[in-house]
Amino acid sequence: MHPPASHRMAYEAFVQALQPLSLAPLWTEYHRLLTPAPQGKARPHLWRYAELRPQLLRAGELVSTREAERRVLMLLNPGLEGQIAITPTLFAGMQLLLPGEVARVHRHSPAALRIIVEGKGAYTTVDGQRCFMEPGDLILTPAWSWHDHGNPGNEPVIWLDGLDLPLIQTLNVVFTEHPTQAQQQARLPDDLSLRLYQQPGLRPPAPDTGPASPLLSYKWQRTAAALAALPAEAASPYDDLLLEYTNPHTGGPVLPTMGCTAQLLRPGVQTQAHRHASSSVYLVVQGRGYSVIDGRRYDWEAGDVFVIPSWAYHEHANASPHEAAALISFTDAPLIRSLGLYREEAHPGGHQPLA
Ligand code: 1HN
């Protein structure tokens, strides 16, 4: 039965009267809001280092770090039009620092991490402590820590920046400070935190530094050795050999909003598909392979970056029968977990059909 025309006209007049009052009915939006599962706009995507690197080096010719503050090419998710984000919570960018350059000191409430892609001899000074960079290293700059970068070496250094900036923007708690000097004094020994946390399972008395890890640098050499030492029994069906980077004082994630993992896909390994309520950005550190994300295959090699949005099925494969492949990722999983909202599930068929 149709409502009488008089009712329809009354209803339309009612809806029109709402708008100038900054009011709207929930009942027309309800099912769009409360979906059975996440319906985000972020899409899976892969950025090829072979395409990105020449553009970054071109930026090095055209833009100084003095002009740029940070010489970063942002990796923007093609599904999140108009947003500066790789997922709704995460930012990713590729940064270049040329020999002799500095990127001046500042601090901000968004937390950041860096995964070194290429080159060595550069450093980030974090709250007075220089952390030196080599490929595959992970370096943290926790929320509100002073940080500047310098490259006293003789090769260009390139790294992937990961920040929780879109999240912090959404929460409307972005704060930034720029002091007048260009760089911090290194008031602490270089790579001090590496010496304080040299031996897994042993730690000095707890510092009072807040929720972020006091270990600021995770050397790839140590991580690679730890991965290589894992027994086959440690393999996960979804990730093969995986280790999570931890805060040595809590055993928890390195930052309250972002966690990091390193994984080794052994030669010829093809993992099973699963999905989870968190998003991740991956850097290929070594080897060649592919990931199937949402039914599409993304082939990757060293230096490539790809993004897996929340609740997208994904599985990984090492295409080489001889060489191991290594991936480092950062993820918003710690944030989701801290809210009690994390969940994951296996693909019912084990693998995804290719679209
Ligand atoms: C930032 O401060 C850095 O300190 C890198 O190197 C990337 C992206 C957005 C906002 C701040 C850095 C950034 C950033």
Side-chain angles (χ1 to χ4, degrees):
M1 216 184 78
H2 294 289
S6 62
H7 177 275
R8 208 178 62 237
M9 285 170 65
Y11 182 80
E12 277 164 19
F14 157 72
V15 169
Q16 277 198 353
L18 293 176
Q19 204 187 346
L21 301 174
S22 297
L23 293 169
L26 169 63
W27 53 90
T28 57
E29 311 305 316
Y30 180 83
H31 293 285
R32 199 168 58 83
L33 291 171
L34 288 183
T35 53
Q39 299 283 327
K41 289 200 162 65
R43 291 209 289 260
H45 193 76
L46 179 137
W47 289 262
R48 290 183 202 296
Y49 195 51
E51 293 174 350
L52 198 164
R53 185 179 186 276
Q55 300 298 341
L56 194 53
L57 292 175
R58 187 74 180 127
E61 294 167 359
L62 296 173
V63 185
S64 70
T65 50
R66 186 186 291 272
E67 294 166 292
E69 181 88 24
R70 295 295 189 262
R71 186 192 292 114
V72 173
L73 288 182
M74 306 190 292
L75 281 59
L76 300 183
N77 191 298
L80 298 177
E81 230 187 80
Q83 293 180 51
I84 293 184
I86 191 164
T87 78
T89 52
L90 300 173
F91 170 99
M94 201 67 94
Q95 182 160 174
L96 168 67
L97 201 61
L98 292 168
E101 285 187 326
V102 300
R104 71 193 184 104
V105 61
H106 67 195
R107 66 175 172 180
H108 39 68
S109 52
L113 56 88
R114 330 207 178 265
I115 309 167
I116 316 311
V117 179
E118 180 183 329
K120 59 179 186 325
Y123 60 81
T124 297
T125 307
V126 187
D127 281 339
Q129 178 180 162
R130 293 197 296 181
C131 301
F132 277 86
M133 301 176 177
E134 292 174 288
D137 292 355
L138 167 69
I139 295 174
L140 308 178
T141 57
W144 210 236
S145 58
W146 293 109
H147 56 284
D148 55 86
H149 316 300
N151 184 356
N154 50 26
E155 43 191 280
V157 177
I158 297 175
W159 65 82
L160 179 68
D161 290 304
L163 287 89
D164 55 10
L165 182 55
L167 169 77
I168 303 304
Q169 279 183 308
T170 298
L171 299 174
N172 199 22
V173 286
V174 173
F175 295 90
T176 310
E177 266 182 21
H178 295 93
T180 46
Q181 78 268 28
Q183 291 205 281
Q184 299 171 73
Q185 293 291 337
R187 12 170 218 94
L188 296 168
D190 289 348
D191 284 315
L192 172 65
S193 77
L194 276 173
R195 290 158 65 189
L196 292 175
Y197 300 93
Q198 179 91 34
Q199 177 66 29
L202 291 173
R203 65 190 194 193
D208 193 12
T209 53
S213 171
L215 175 56
L216 298 172
S217 171
Y218 299 74
K219 301 302 286 181
W220 175 243
Q221 205 190 345
R222 289 190 194 179
T223 308
L227 285 168
L230 285 175
E233 287 76 12
S236 136
Y238 309 113
D239 287 304
D240 206 32
L241 296 172
L242 179 137
L243 290 169
E244 185 182 349
Y245 292 89
T246 59
N247 173 338
H249 275 285
T250 62
V254 291
L255 297 164
T257 51
M258 291 188 289
C260 292
T261 67
Q263 72 195 88
L264 209 58
L265 301 169
R266 291 167 295 173
V269 153
Q270 190 181 0
T271 71
Q272 290 178 32
H274 76 160
R275 61 181 176 182
H276 37 71
S278 60
S279 57
S280 317
V281 176
Y282 287 79
L283 172 71
V284 182
V285 175
Q286 167 195 313
R288 281 168 188 280
Y290 62 89
S291 299
V292 181
I293 312 168
D294 249 352
R296 248 197 81 181
R297 174 172 163 158
Y298 297 84
D299 286 273
W300 41 251
E301 60 186 7
D304 291 353
V305 177
F306 60 93
V307 57
I308 303 180
S310 183
W311 212 238
Y313 278 118
H314 55 278
E315 58 199 276
H316 310 293
N318 181 345
S320 163
H322 307 294
E323 200 201 347
L327 307 173
I328 297 181
S329 84
F330 62 95
T331 167
D332 60 5
L335 172 73
I336 314 282
R337 282 183 198 275
S338 71
L339 300 174
L341 298 175
Y342 186 79
R343 58 168 91 185
E344 58 181 285
E345 67 183 31
H347 190 282
H351 298 284
Q352 303 157 80
L354 281 174

